[in-house]
Amino acid sequence: MQRPALTRDRILAAALDLVDREGGQALTMRNLGRELQVEAMSLYHHVHNRADLLDGLADLLVTTGLPVAPADQPWEDALREFTIGIRRTARRHPAAFQLVGLRPLRSDPALRPVTALLARLETAGLSATTAVAVYRLAAAYARGFALAEIEGLTLAHPPTDPPGTSPALQAALREPNDRVFTDALQLILDSVRGSIAAR
């Protein structure tokens, strides 16, 4: 049976499968060639080097995981879904997100969710500068929260109560991650809503 043609998309899909299964340290050209049953050197016809491979993997996570806001979508929904989409992608592909989640996006398809969100924020009445600041705030929040979850850096179940904290704070520190994420995201939404109302 003839194998499918080797393409960049097929290489990136195989790279994601490999990282999901074996972790980021397994992503080498040799291992990827073995995964695809080809010589590692043949991969270089489609990916220039490891940096190009990682850029492609970052783009793949975005294009398959983040929504592109429709032109008529309310900005609140667009911002909420974009931010949730980052965390959801990280939870689906934790090893890949650790590997490439902070890389800059380079392809037009990967930038489409970002530009669509910026358009919705600008249409809502934010200046271009403020729209970019809001996007960066939401992206940084979701990435940081997701990476902390992946690393297990949460206070949901501390071995002891942090010293000097009240019972109310101790209870709040034990809130489930989903609720903490949602509550903090709502603070961002409320802040943006206030900026729009002040204009």
Side-chain angles (χ1 to χ4, degrees):
M1 181 177 176
Q2 189 175 11
R3 289 195 299 269
L6 193 62
T7 64
R8 182 178 175 86
D9 286 347
R10 186 171 166 235
I11 291 170
L12 294 177
L16 182 57
D17 286 344
L18 177 63
V19 173
D20 280 347
R21 192 174 65 250
E22 300 183 24
Q25 75 284 347
L27 186 60
T28 66
M29 290 301 194
R30 179 175 295 180
N31 287 343
L32 189 52
R34 187 180 303 118
E35 185 87 355
L36 291 160
Q37 299 181 343
V38 299
E39 291 294 326
M41 289 303 297
S42 65
L43 302 176
Y44 290 98
H45 295 292
H46 305 278
V47 291
H48 300 118
N49 48 42
R50 179 176 168 81
D52 186 34
L53 176 63
L54 293 177
D55 286 342
L57 191 55
D59 286 357
L60 179 61
L61 288 183
V62 171
T63 56
T64 58
L66 298 191
V68 177
D72 59 349
Q73 186 175 34
W75 72 264
E76 296 98 326
D77 294 342
L79 184 57
R80 181 182 292 106
E81 290 177 12
F82 178 87
T83 310
I84 290 172
I86 293 174
R87 181 178 179 233
R88 181 175 57 236
T89 298
R91 297 179 80 176
R92 286 178 178 168
H93 306 286
F97 195 84
Q98 284 180 299
L99 189 63
V100 301
L102 298 179
R103 291 183 78 83
L105 303 176
R106 302 187 186 280
S107 72
D108 288 344
L111 287 169
R112 205 164 290 139
V114 175
T115 55
L117 173 62
L118 290 172
R120 297 308 310 126
L121 292 171
E122 194 172 28
T123 301
L126 294 178
S127 68
T129 300
T130 304
V132 170
V134 168
Y135 147 68
R136 288 178 173 167
L137 172 63
Y141 165 62
R143 285 169 168 171
F145 195 100
L147 287 170
E149 283 187 301
I150 292 169
E151 293 288 348
L153 303 176
T154 67
L155 293 174
H157 301 288
T160 59
D161 293 324
T165 53
S166 67
L169 283 174
Q170 292 167 16
L173 287 170
R174 288 177 168 77
E175 289 285 354
N177 282 353
D178 286 347
R179 179 167 181 178
V180 173
F181 181 84
T182 301
D183 287 351
L185 175 54
Q186 189 60 51
L187 291 175
I188 295 174
L189 293 168
D190 290 345
S191 177
V192 176
R193 189 177 298 108
S195 294
I196 293 173
R199 291 184 175 275

